Amino acid sequence: MTTAHSFTRHDITFPSGDSTCAGWLYLPTGVTSPPVVILGHGLGATREMRLDAFAERFAQAGIAAVAFTYRHFGDSGGHPRQLLSIKRQLADWDAALAYVKARPDVDRSRIAVWGSSFGGGHAITVASRHPELRAAVSQCPFTDGLASALALGPVASLRMTPVLARDMAARVRGKAPAMVPIASAPGSPALMNAPDALPGYQALQPAGTTFRNEVAARVIPTIATYRPGRAAKKVAMPILFCVSNTDSVTPPAQTLRYARTAPRGEIKRYDAGHFDFYTGETFETLVRDQIEFLTRQLRPAPASTP
């Protein structure tokens, strides 16, 4: 019977723009030059919020993993804090790729990207820009800002207008940002206010987490116009889309339309909510499917048989 690889986890930092990103590197023990997958999270989330769970499983399958936190969040650098910039986050992905390609202890010709939620949209964008990648995984992805804004509802969207105006003024004056909640109860102004959003985010936070449930409001217009799903048709390598059939945050119908345009796309659908993907039986099913996909594309060395 084949056994799982043991692994070691290392604290890492790498430069990005004017600051640094903090992360974890997972290396399968005793494997020379393993393939590697880079993991990035969703809206305002940090790597402590279950990216480690996925990375550990990938490492046990013989695939090295880098799980990182975007600048301006958690223990990564960047000021002001809680600034969610799509342009900067995509630059962080590029910086993570550059970091991996400079490491002599992984196979720089077998690299994949893995993103979840907002990071799932980034994974599509990054894969479309980096044809040298071997594979990509896009989990419960944010693919269309307009579709997500409609899911949020016009009333809730309008209620964020005053704080957006305050933050734009603060930006001009060089003052501290005005914040908007990432997740809140239904009917409350936030980036996500579906019934499962606030409890879903809270369930992902371990004790002592660096997560803060707020971001600078200036991101609101850029989220509404960000449509990473459009880049799916430009993704040359195999890409796995893991889609929630009941997703309250990233509507599945639009995601599926985009996913079907990827030339080498594979689609897996799950009868579980957006935030169920990270824990319990849904997580177990997802991570098995993702390991099967990544193993086919990256061909890691098998663990020894006792």
Side-chain angles (χ1 to χ4, degrees), residues 10 16 21 34 39 54 57 93 95 99 114-115 118 142 147 173 184 201 210 220 241 261 263:
H10 308 268
S16 182
C21 291
L39 295 88
F54 287 91
R57 293 297 186 86
W93 277 97
Y99 170 81
W114 180 105
F118 206 64
F142 174 100
R173 295 170 184 162
S184 67
Y201 254 62
T210 53
I220 293 170
F241 297 92
T261 69

Side-chain angles (χ1 to χ4, degrees), residues 238-279:
I239 178 169
L240 174 64
F241 297 92
C242 298
V243 181
S244 160
N245 289 329
T246 58
D247 202 315
S248 60
V249 176
T250 56
Q254 184 65 278
T255 293
L256 290 167
R257 280 194 285 272
Y258 285 130
R260 292 180 184 122
T261 69
R264 301 177 68 186
E266 300 181 23
I267 299 171
K268 293 277 189 180
R269 301 177 66 175
Y270 304 87
D271 289 320
H274 186 91
F275 296 97
D276 295 328
F277 274 29
Y278 302 94
T279 58

